[in-house]
Amino acid sequence: MKANTRALQLWLLFLSIFMPNLFNIRLIGMNLTFGRTAVIVIFFLCLYRDGRKLVFRDKLEAACMAFFSCWVLYGILLMLLRGMIHKEAIKEITNIFMGAMMVYSILRLIGDSGEMLCCAVDILRKLAGICVVVGIFEILSGRHLETSCFCDSSYIRTISQIYGEVNFYQATGFQYGTNDFCSFLVFFFPVFLNHRKQKWFDYLMIGAIAVICAVNSATLCMLTLILGLSFYYFKKQKMKFRNILQILAVLMLLFAVQDWLQSVNGNVFSLTAELENHLNNYRAGGGSSYSRFWTYMESFAVAADSFFAGLGPANFTSYVIANPSKSMLLNPHNLWLEIFTEYGILILTLYVILLCTLFYKMNGIYKRDRIQKALLIQVMLINYIIVGIVPSTFISYLYQWILLALGIAAVKIYGVKKESGLAAYGKARKDGVWM
């Protein structure tokens, strides 16, 4: 297949994942969004080109697909054993299965080409840039897409009852909520790191992401952004002590400036003030931090109640309704506890092993050949661990599986031999894409 054709399909696939609700199709009682439709169509196109059979060209790729198969089959088994076969459970299992389809499709489209991997990340960079621009427009205009929570009358009514008024000058992008959008942006921000061309654009986008997180009061996302940038800087500079002092000095200066600005204008976001506010709310027995803490504590009791085998897909909410919790939250608000409580310790352990393997291999590739993509995938892995605990539920987001596909593709291209890795790296630099 020609490179241009593969690039076009990657564009369509990533566009559908970034903007999954551009259109909806009702088919046999099911709601097929743009995202699901594109994933299914491109998967079957890749399957057709592979001779109508699944082809695995790497041990890690085969292990990833085997893991997805175990996850889906185990989820179906839990549904049958628990007798909890409902719409949300079927939807969650379907989304995980579609995640496997998406990973397979991306790997087929990238193949063993360093150029195509660079092309894939460059597409993500452009699409992420569009999302950032949409977010800034929302903040400035107070206007939102129909998929936003600010266009949901029930959400507006609830927020109005709690806070008295609704601040429409926040950003949700193509996501539903403000936390969802900030998690999405911080997850993808590494694609803006160290591009050979248009560095001003990358710096501007990272700054804009920080502004969006500040306006949305997404404290954990802001901390994740700082952590990701710090890790990237430390790895680039080989963890020299003076560099650690430099980054600490910059952070202290930023915090001081934030605190001063807030003292002048109370509406200015201050990370230290937000953290202090969360701590005070927790001590007073209120606020999101207090609710999340008790949800996390109770999740272990929920998992133990199922003998750590899992409640079944999307059954955490049903369990909490039947057994009211102290936190009063109906979702785990933590991807890792969501997997732990619904699918058990086995699936969680296998997934953690897969992610740790990717991180280890990326670290080896970067340490050996200083290949930039390996470092950026490491930063994405770190971000993923943290932003997964920001939204109320994360497990059904299709975009998270892009990380697995990029990581496995990088291992296939750069992880075999030093000579082949450097050769692919040199080819990408020559082509002038994402280095």
Side-chain angles (χ1 to χ4, degrees):
M1 182 171 43
K2 293 182 178 180
N4 288 341
T5 304
R6 285 191 285 170
L8 181 62
Q9 291 184 26
L10 281 172
W11 262 106
L12 178 62
L13 183 60
F14 290 157
L15 180 66
S16 70
I17 294 166
F18 274 59
M19 309 169 191
N21 298 308
L22 284 182
F23 66 81
N24 296 311
I25 299 174
R26 295 290 297 178
L27 182 65
I28 319 177
M30 293 183 63
N31 186 31
L32 287 178
T33 62
F34 173 44
R36 293 172 184 164
T37 304
V39 169
I40 292 171
V41 170
I42 293 176
F43 171 76
F44 280 106
L45 285 174
C46 292
L47 200 62
Y48 178 79
R49 283 191 296 268
D50 286 338
R52 293 178 289 280
K53 62 181 180 180
L54 296 174
V55 177
F56 306 123
R57 298 185 173 90
D58 179 82
K59 289 183 180 179
L60 189 58
E61 179 183 349
C64 180
M65 292 299 108
F67 165 70
F68 270 113
S69 299
C70 291
W71 193 347
V72 172
L73 291 174
Y74 187 67
I76 294 172
L77 179 63
L78 285 176
M79 278 198 301
L80 297 175
L81 291 177
R82 307 293 186 199
M84 300 290 285
I85 305 174
H86 50 85
K87 181 180 177 181
E88 291 303 315
I90 295 172
K91 180 181 176 181
E92 186 169 292
I93 281 292
T94 301
N95 283 335
I96 294 171
F97 181 69
M98 294 189 71
M101 296 169 66
M102 189 181 74
V103 171
Y104 182 85
S105 300
I106 295 173
L107 289 173
R108 293 286 72 76
L109 293 172
I110 292 175
D112 299 325
S113 168
E115 181 182 358
M116 285 308 302
L117 178 57
C118 292
C119 176
V121 179
D122 201 46
I123 293 170
L124 293 174
R125 174 175 170 267
K126 290 180 172 66
L127 289 173
I130 293 171
C131 292
V132 171
V133 171
V134 170
I136 294 297
F137 173 79
E138 288 180 292
I139 291 171
L140 295 176
S141 67
R143 296 177 178 272
H144 305 276
L145 299 172
E146 291 184 0
T147 54
S148 170
C149 62
F150 294 111
C151 294
D152 183 347
S153 57
S154 61
Y155 172 84
I156 298 299
R157 186 164 54 251
T158 301
I159 295 299
S160 298
Q161 291 172 352
I162 297 174
Y163 299 105
E165 61 179 359
V166 179
N167 178 17
F168 288 95
Y169 293 93
Q170 298 183 79
T172 57
F174 296 95
Q175 307 295 316
Y176 176 77
T178 54
N179 279 339
D180 304 324
F181 186 48
C182 288
S183 300
F184 171 85
L185 291 180
V186 172
F187 178 80
F188 281 110
F189 99 83
V191 299
F192 295 115
L193 291 172
N194 204 36
H195 195 276
R196 283 189 67 197
K197 300 177 180 178
Q198 300 177 334
K199 287 187 177 181
W200 64 269
F201 174 80
D202 296 322
Y203 297 149
L204 183 63
M205 290 296 103
I206 293 174
I209 291 173
V211 169
I212 292 171
C213 290
V215 171
N216 287 355
S217 296
T219 309
L220 194 54
C221 287
M222 182 69 83
L223 288 172
T224 306
L225 182 65
I226 293 172
L227 177 63
L229 287 170
S230 300
F231 178 83
Y232 173 81
Y233 181 76
F234 290 156
K235 290 285 285 187
K236 289 284 286 185
Q237 301 298 328
K238 298 182 179 180
M239 291 291 225
K240 294 179 181 177
F241 181 71
R242 72 168 182 269
N243 301 124
I244 296 176
L245 293 179
Q246 287 173 356
I247 196 71
L248 289 176
V250 171
L251 289 175
M252 290 176 65
L253 179 61
L254 287 175
F255 291 154
V257 170
Q258 282 186 337
D259 291 340
W260 176 77
L261 288 173
Q262 193 182 57
S263 66
V264 176
N265 184 348
N267 294 323
V268 175
F269 176 85
S270 170
L271 185 57
T272 50
E274 284 291 321
L275 291 172
E276 184 180 356
N277 183 50
H278 278 287
L279 182 60
N280 291 335
N281 286 337
Y282 173 78
R283 288 171 175 170
S288 61
S289 299
Y290 181 82
S291 298
R292 282 173 180 265
F293 173 79
W294 280 107
T295 299
Y296 297 165
M297 293 298 100
E298 291 163 351
S299 293
F300 290 95
V302 171
D305 202 32
S306 68
F307 301 100
F308 301 101
L311 298 171
N315 279 337
F316 185 91
T317 300
S318 302
Y319 182 92
V320 172
I321 291 174
N323 305 274
S325 67
K326 187 173 182 178
S327 69
M328 302 302 290
L329 294 176
L330 297 180
N331 291 298
H333 287 70
N334 187 312
L335 170 64
W336 315 107
L337 289 180
E338 195 170 4
I339 297 173
F340 182 49
T341 56
E342 294 183 353
Y343 298 93
I345 193 168
L346 176 62
I347 296 299
L348 177 62
T349 301
L350 291 174
Y351 192 35
V352 169
I353 290 173
L354 178 60
L355 294 176
C356 288
T357 301
L358 279 179
F359 189 89
Y360 173 77
K361 288 185 176 293
M362 291 301 103
N363 188 63
I365 292 170
Y366 183 73
K367 186 177 180 180
R368 184 189 67 200
D369 295 337
R370 305 293 289 182
I371 293 176
Q372 184 71 7
K373 287 185 289 298
L375 175 56
L376 303 193
I377 291 171
Q378 278 188 289
V379 178
M380 289 185 75
L381 280 163
I382 292 173
N383 293 348
Y384 180 45
I385 292 170
I386 304 175
V387 298
I389 70 176
V390 176
S392 59
T393 179
F394 201 93
I395 201 168
S396 295
Y397 289 147
L398 284 176
Y399 68 78
Q400 65 184 301
W401 311 120
I402 293 176
L403 174 59
L404 288 180
L406 294 180
I408 295 171
V411 170
K412 287 200 301 179
I413 295 167
Y414 304 112
V416 182
K417 295 180 182 179
K418 182 174 182 179
E419 290 77 17
S420 61
L422 289 174
Y425 178 77
K427 176 68 166 61
R429 284 188 65 87
K430 184 178 178 182
D431 294 333
V433 287
W434 200 68
M435 281 290 150

